[in-house]
Amino acid sequence: MDDAAKPLLRILGIDPGLRITGFGLIEKAGNRLTYVASGCIRTDVRDSLPSRLGTIYAGLRELVARHQPDQAAVEIIFVNVNPQSTLLLGQARGAAITALVASGLGVSEYTALQVKQAVVGNGHADKVQVQHMVRRLLSLSADPRPDAADALACAIAHAHGGQGFGSLASGGLHVRNGRLIVGKAAAK
C-alpha cells in the first residue's frame, strides 16, 4: 500500500508558553508528513494570570474544534534558572494539556532533547537548526517562526514513532535531570 492510500493521522504539536504558545498541525500518511497549519496563541502581559491561562485554554479548544486533530504532542519543560518563570511556564503547560484532554485528545509528552534528537538528529541543536529541519521535512517555502517551529517539531517527533514518556521504559531509556539517558533507571 503506498503512502497516499494509508489512513491520515492528524497530529497537533504544542510548544507551551505563558506569553506565546506555539502550535503546529501536520498530517501523517505512512512515512509522508504534510504541513497543515501553525502559529501562536499570544497572551497580553497586562492581563491577570488566570485570564492569560484562559486565553491559552480557549485558543487551543478553538484550534482543536477547527482542525480536528487525532492526537496531540506537548513539549515538557524542566526547571530553569528562574523558579518563578518555571512555575508560570508550568501553569501555561497545564492549561494547554487541560484544553487538549477536555477536547478528547490523547496527549503524549516529549522533552526538548527528544524532539531535537528526532527532528535534527542532535539533542542539543539550536533553534535555527530546528527551524531549518522543520522547513525541509515539511517542504515549507520558508523557516517557520521559532515557537511554531518548536510545536511542529514536537508533532514531527511524535509522527516519527515517539509515543511520549510511555515508551521510554520499553526502549531502555529514562530521563534524569532533564536529560535522556540510555540504560536502566535508578531504583526508586
Side-chain angles (χ1 to χ4, degrees), residues 34-110:
T34 306
Y35 173 86
V36 176
S38 64
C40 297
I41 298 168
R42 296 178 188 276
T43 66
D44 190 332
V45 297
R46 296 168 295 192
D47 288 346
S48 68
L49 177 61
S51 177
R52 294 172 78 186
L53 296 174
T55 297
I56 294 166
Y57 179 88
L60 287 174
R61 289 293 305 255
E62 179 184 329
L63 196 68
V64 170
R66 183 181 321 137
H67 292 288
Q68 299 292 308
D70 301 303
Q71 298 175 359
V74 178
E75 190 171 312
I76 294 174
I77 54 116
F78 285 96
V79 176
N80 61 33
V81 177
N82 183 336
Q84 181 63 24
S85 294
T86 302
L87 180 61
L88 292 172
L89 183 56
Q91 291 176 355
R93 186 173 175 278
I97 290 172
T98 301
L100 299 170
V101 171
S103 297
L105 290 175
V107 177
S108 294
E109 301 174 89
Y110 299 92

Side-chain angles (χ1 to χ4, degrees), residues 8-184:
L8 286 179
L9 178 65
R10 194 168 267 209
I11 303 167
L12 175 62
I14 302 295
D15 177 36
L18 184 57
R19 192 171 58 82
I20 301 172
T21 292
F23 67 86
L25 193 67
I26 62 171
E27 287 182 341
K28 178 183 180 187
N31 290 326
R32 183 179 211 181
L33 300 179
T34 306
Y35 173 86
V36 176
S38 64
C40 297
I41 298 168
R42 296 178 188 276
T43 66
D44 190 332
V45 297
R46 296 168 295 192
D47 288 346
S48 68
L49 177 61
S51 177
R52 294 172 78 186
L53 296 174
T55 297
I56 294 166
Y57 179 88
L60 287 174
R61 289 293 305 255
E62 179 184 329
L63 196 68
V64 170
R66 183 181 321 137
H67 292 288
Q68 299 292 308
D70 301 303
Q71 298 175 359
V74 178
E75 190 171 312
I76 294 174
I77 54 116
F78 285 96
V79 176
N80 61 33
V81 177
N82 183 336
Q84 181 63 24
S85 294
T86 302
L87 180 61
L88 292 172
L89 183 56
Q91 291 176 355
R93 186 173 175 278
I97 290 172
T98 301
L100 299 170
V101 171
S103 297
L105 290 175
V107 177
S108 294
E109 301 174 89
Y110 299 92
T111 66
L113 186 75
Q114 288 174 298
V115 171
K116 291 173 182 179
Q117 183 68 41
V119 174
V120 180
N122 174 2
H124 300 288
D126 63 29
K127 285 198 174 280
V128 173
Q129 290 171 303
V130 172
Q131 286 174 281
H132 181 72
M133 282 306 297
V134 165
R135 175 184 180 179
R136 291 191 62 182
L137 290 169
L138 298 177
S139 302
L140 302 175
S141 60
D143 286 351
R145 291 188 161 282
D147 295 295
D150 288 348
L152 287 165
C154 197
I156 292 168
H158 185 72
H160 281 173
Q163 297 302 316
F165 275 135
S167 68
L168 288 180
S170 63
L173 303 172
H174 64 280
V175 175
R176 183 184 314 139
N177 297 327
R179 296 178 186 261
L180 194 59
I181 306 295
V182 178
K184 292 184 178 185

